[in-house]
Amino acid sequence: MADYEPLLGEIALFATNFVPRGWAPCDGQLLAIAQNTALFSIVGAAYGGDGRTTFGLPDLRGVVALGVGQGPGLTNYSLGEMGGEGSVTLLPADMPGHTHAVRAGGSATSGSPVENRPAGGDVQLYNSEPTSEERLSVEGQTQPHSNEQPSLGLQYCIALTGTYPSRS
């Protein structure tokens, strides 16, 4: 098999614990434009740097790459734009409207459910305008939960040398 020469700026995944020669990790590091003019002419300052003396490499640590543009019904993403959240805190406004039924058994101890036991059967305690006696206690901790898909750590690297890609 002939030696493979990547396109300059190509990003590849490696299952190695080192960065191959001619490649750099996609870790957001800044490079000098003067020493990497060809690569800068391809990626520009979309990933950081001042665009005069430095430019940044993409930082793919802990994130998932996605295609630029906008698919049907999807958010539009530009080159270098970040999106998504690592964790999310759900608030009542984020949840669909719903009601809670309370199952109870035995004899009622009062006409009011506050600090008492309601009559047996399903008792609806919410309505469109609940009073203090019709509310259930608030549950949950309002803590963020992980929003991360199952994943596997591999090394994203970008080609620092290779064939200059032609524009179509």
Side-chain angles (χ1 to χ4, degrees), residues 7 22 25 31 33 67 70-71 100 118 120 132-133 135 145 149 162 165:
L7 293 175
L31 298 179
I33 294 173
Q70 182 174 13
H100 293 251
S132 62
E133 292 184 353
R135 291 187 210 134
H145 70 276
Q149 64 186 355

PDB file of all heavy atoms in Angstrom, residues 7 22 25 31 33 67 70-71 100 118 120 132-133 135 145 149 162 165:
ATOM      1  N   LEU A   7      -4.869  15.593   3.163  1.00  0.00           N
ATOM      2  CA  LEU A   7      -5.056  16.972   2.728  1.00  0.00           C
ATOM      3  C   LEU A   7      -4.670  17.872   3.893  1.00  0.00           C
ATOM      4  O   LEU A   7      -4.975  17.575   5.057  1.00  0.00           O
ATOM      5  CB  LEU A   7      -6.506  17.233   2.348  1.00  0.00           C
ATOM      6  CG  LEU A   7      -7.041  16.518   1.114  1.00  0.00           C
ATOM      7  CD1 LEU A   7      -8.531  16.793   0.938  1.00  0.00           C
ATOM      8  CD2 LEU A   7      -6.275  16.945  -0.127  1.00  0.00           C
ATOM      9  N   GLY A  22       3.524  15.149  11.623  1.00  0.00           N
ATOM     10  CA  GLY A  22       2.820  15.918  10.598  1.00  0.00           C
ATOM     11  C   GLY A  22       1.400  16.282  10.993  1.00  0.00           C
ATOM     12  O   GLY A  22       0.681  16.890  10.211  1.00  0.00           O
ATOM     13  N   PRO A  25      -2.728  17.818  17.709  1.00  0.00           N
ATOM     14  CA  PRO A  25      -4.001  17.505  18.367  1.00  0.00           C
ATOM     15  C   PRO A  25      -5.003  18.639  18.176  1.00  0.00           C
ATOM     16  O   PRO A  25      -4.615  19.808  18.136  1.00  0.00           O
ATOM     17  CB  PRO A  25      -3.616  17.350  19.838  1.00  0.00           C
ATOM     18  CG  PRO A  25      -2.371  18.150  20.001  1.00  0.00           C
ATOM     19  CD  PRO A  25      -1.654  18.072  18.674  1.00  0.00           C
ATOM     20  N   LEU A  31      -1.354  28.697  16.918  1.00  0.00           N
ATOM     21  CA  LEU A  31      -0.151  28.543  16.098  1.00  0.00           C
ATOM     22  C   LEU A  31       0.207  29.892  15.492  1.00  0.00           C
ATOM     23  O   LEU A  31      -0.667  30.735  15.258  1.00  0.00           O
ATOM     24  CB  LEU A  31      -0.383  27.532  14.976  1.00  0.00           C
ATOM     25  CG  LEU A  31      -0.724  26.091  15.375  1.00  0.00           C
ATOM     26  CD1 LEU A  31      -0.945  25.240  14.127  1.00  0.00           C
ATOM     27  CD2 LEU A  31       0.354  25.494  16.252  1.00  0.00           C
ATOM     28  N   ILE A  33       1.002  32.262  12.554  1.00  0.00           N
ATOM     29  CA  ILE A  33       0.644  32.305  11.130  1.00  0.00           C
ATOM     30  C   ILE A  33       1.906  32.240  10.275  1.00  0.00           C
ATOM     31  O   ILE A  33       1.929  31.534   9.257  1.00  0.00           O
ATOM     32  CB  ILE A  33      -0.180  33.573  10.810  1.00  0.00           C
ATOM     33  CG1 ILE A  33      -1.534  33.499  11.520  1.00  0.00           C
ATOM     34  CG2 ILE A  33      -0.353  33.734   9.299  1.00  0.00           C
ATOM     35  CD1 ILE A  33      -2.353  34.775  11.420  1.00  0.00           C
ATOM     36  N   GLY A  67     -21.684  18.933  11.161  1.00  0.00           N
ATOM     37  CA  GLY A  67     -21.556  19.634   9.891  1.00  0.00           C
ATOM     38  C   GLY A  67     -22.077  21.060   9.961  1.00  0.00           C
ATOM     39  O   GLY A  67     -23.045  21.335  10.665  1.00  0.00           O
ATOM     40  N   GLN A  70     -27.378  24.314   7.767  1.00  0.00           N
ATOM     41  CA  GLN A  70     -28.648  24.057   8.434  1.00  0.00           C
ATOM     42  C   GLN A  70     -29.436  23.008   7.669  1.00  0.00           C
ATOM     43  O   GLN A  70     -29.818  23.219   6.540  1.00  0.00           O
ATOM     44  CB  GLN A  70     -29.469  25.348   8.528  1.00  0.00           C
ATOM     45  CG  GLN A  70     -30.782  25.174   9.239  1.00  0.00           C
ATOM     46  CD  GLN A  70     -31.501  26.509   9.426  1.00  0.00           C
ATOM     47  OE1 GLN A  70     -31.147  27.507   8.838  1.00  0.00           O
ATOM     48  NE2 GLN A  70     -32.530  26.498  10.244  1.00  0.00           N
ATOM     49  N   GLY A  71     -29.670  21.892   8.327  1.00  0.00           N
ATOM     50  CA  GLY A  71     -30.521  20.860   7.747  1.00  0.00           C
ATOM     51  C   GLY A  71     -31.978  21.199   8.033  1.00  0.00           C
ATOM     52  O   GLY A  71     -32.276  22.082   8.845  1.00  0.00           O
ATOM     53  N   HIS A 100     -51.138  15.182  38.839  1.00  0.00           N
ATOM     54  CA  HIS A 100     -50.754  14.081  39.722  1.00  0.00           C
ATOM     55  C   HIS A 100     -51.995  13.567  40.425  1.00  0.00           C
ATOM     56  O   HIS A 100     -52.777  14.353  40.956  1.00  0.00           O
ATOM     57  CB  HIS A 100     -49.749  14.549  40.779  1.00  0.00           C
ATOM     58  CG  HIS A 100     -48.427  14.926  40.229  1.00  0.00           C
ATOM     59  ND1 HIS A 100     -47.304  14.181  40.424  1.00  0.00           N
ATOM     60  CD2 HIS A 100     -48.045  15.974  39.453  1.00  0.00           C
ATOM     61  CE1 HIS A 100     -46.285  14.752  39.812  1.00  0.00           C
ATOM     62  NE2 HIS A 100     -46.701  15.844  39.225  1.00  0.00           N
ATOM     63  N   PRO A 118     -56.407  11.858  52.921  1.00  0.00           N
ATOM     64  CA  PRO A 118     -57.660  11.964  52.165  1.00  0.00           C
ATOM     65  C   PRO A 118     -58.375  10.618  52.095  1.00  0.00           C
ATOM     66  O   PRO A 118     -57.807   9.586  52.427  1.00  0.00           O
ATOM     67  CB  PRO A 118     -57.202  12.425  50.785  1.00  0.00           C
ATOM     68  CG  PRO A 118     -55.794  11.963  50.674  1.00  0.00           C
ATOM     69  CD  PRO A 118     -55.238  11.946  52.074  1.00  0.00           C
ATOM     70  N   GLY A 120     -60.081   7.220  50.486  1.00  0.00           N
ATOM     71  CA  GLY A 120     -59.514   6.246  49.577  1.00  0.00           C
ATOM     72  C   GLY A 120     -59.863   6.521  48.124  1.00  0.00           C
ATOM     73  O   GLY A 120     -60.797   7.238  47.810  1.00  0.00           O
ATOM     74  N   SER A 132     -53.881  26.469  48.122  1.00  0.00           N
ATOM     75  CA  SER A 132     -52.818  25.922  48.956  1.00  0.00           C
ATOM     76  C   SER A 132     -53.162  24.521  49.444  1.00  0.00           C
ATOM     77  O   SER A 132     -52.281  23.715  49.670  1.00  0.00           O
ATOM     78  CB  SER A 132     -52.540  26.842  50.143  1.00  0.00           C
ATOM     79  OG  SER A 132     -53.699  26.937  50.958  1.00  0.00           O
ATOM     80  N   GLU A 133     -54.445  24.208  49.606  1.00  0.00           N
ATOM     81  CA  GLU A 133     -54.837  22.886  50.079  1.00  0.00           C
ATOM     82  C   GLU A 133     -54.841  21.838  48.964  1.00  0.00           C
ATOM     83  O   GLU A 133     -54.961  20.661  49.227  1.00  0.00           O
ATOM     84  CB  GLU A 133     -56.212  22.947  50.745  1.00  0.00           C
ATOM     85  CG  GLU A 133     -56.197  23.728  52.051  1.00  0.00           C
ATOM     86  CD  GLU A 133     -57.535  23.709  52.748  1.00  0.00           C
ATOM     87  OE1 GLU A 133     -58.510  23.196  52.163  1.00  0.00           O
ATOM     88  OE2 GLU A 133     -57.610  24.194  53.875  1.00  0.00           O
ATOM     89  N   ARG A 135     -52.356  21.587  46.523  1.00  0.00           N
ATOM     90  CA  ARG A 135     -51.020  21.367  45.986  1.00  0.00           C
ATOM     91  C   ARG A 135     -50.308  20.218  46.688  1.00  0.00           C
ATOM     92  O   ARG A 135     -50.459  20.027  47.877  1.00  0.00           O
ATOM     93  CB  ARG A 135     -50.164  22.626  46.155  1.00  0.00           C
ATOM     94  CG  ARG A 135     -50.628  23.732  45.269  1.00  0.00           C
ATOM     95  CD  ARG A 135     -49.651  24.883  45.337  1.00  0.00           C
ATOM     96  NE  ARG A 135     -50.425  26.081  45.117  1.00  0.00           N
ATOM     97  CZ  ARG A 135     -50.337  27.191  45.823  1.00  0.00           C
ATOM     98  NH1 ARG A 135     -49.470  27.277  46.797  1.00  0.00           N
ATOM     99  NH2 ARG A 135     -51.084  28.217  45.554  1.00  0.00           N
ATOM    100  N   HIS A 145     -28.567  17.770  35.247  1.00  0.00           N
ATOM    101  CA  HIS A 145     -28.304  16.364  34.964  1.00  0.00           C
ATOM    102  C   HIS A 145     -27.465  16.279  33.688  1.00  0.00           C
ATOM    103  O   HIS A 145     -27.472  17.186  32.869  1.00  0.00           O
ATOM    104  CB  HIS A 145     -29.606  15.558  34.828  1.00  0.00           C
ATOM    105  CG  HIS A 145     -30.383  15.878  33.594  1.00  0.00           C
ATOM    106  ND1 HIS A 145     -31.250  16.931  33.514  1.00  0.00           N
ATOM    107  CD2 HIS A 145     -30.400  15.304  32.379  1.00  0.00           C
ATOM    108  CE1 HIS A 145     -31.777  16.983  32.305  1.00  0.00           C
ATOM    109  NE2 HIS A 145     -31.275  16.010  31.595  1.00  0.00           N
ATOM    110  N   GLN A 149     -24.204  12.148  25.455  1.00  0.00           N
ATOM    111  CA  GLN A 149     -24.459  10.853  24.830  1.00  0.00           C
ATOM    112  C   GLN A 149     -23.316   9.895  25.173  1.00  0.00           C
ATOM    113  O   GLN A 149     -22.215  10.337  25.497  1.00  0.00           O
ATOM    114  CB  GLN A 149     -24.580  11.020  23.327  1.00  0.00           C
ATOM    115  CG  GLN A 149     -23.306  11.494  22.639  1.00  0.00           C
ATOM    116  CD  GLN A 149     -23.521  11.770  21.163  1.00  0.00           C
ATOM    117  OE1 GLN A 149     -24.586  11.525  20.626  1.00  0.00           O
ATOM    118  NE2 GLN A 149     -22.516  12.287  20.505  1.00  0.00           N
ATOM    119  N   GLY A 162       0.718  18.209   4.122  1.00  0.00           N
ATOM    120  CA  GLY A 162      -0.029  17.380   3.173  1.00  0.00           C
ATOM    121  C   GLY A 162      -0.328  18.152   1.909  1.00  0.00           C
ATOM    122  O   GLY A 162       0.185  19.246   1.680  1.00  0.00           O
ATOM    123  N   PRO A 165      -5.564  21.416  -0.442  1.00  0.00           N
ATOM    124  CA  PRO A 165      -6.827  21.037  -1.092  1.00  0.00           C
ATOM    125  C   PRO A 165      -7.233  22.066  -2.159  1.00  0.00           C
ATOM    126  O   PRO A 165      -7.124  23.275  -1.950  1.00  0.00           O
ATOM    127  CB  PRO A 165      -7.828  21.017   0.046  1.00  0.00           C
ATOM    128  CG  PRO A 165      -7.255  21.886   1.100  1.00  0.00           C
ATOM    129  CD  PRO A 165      -5.773  21.824   0.943  1.00  0.00           C
TER     130      PRO A 165
END
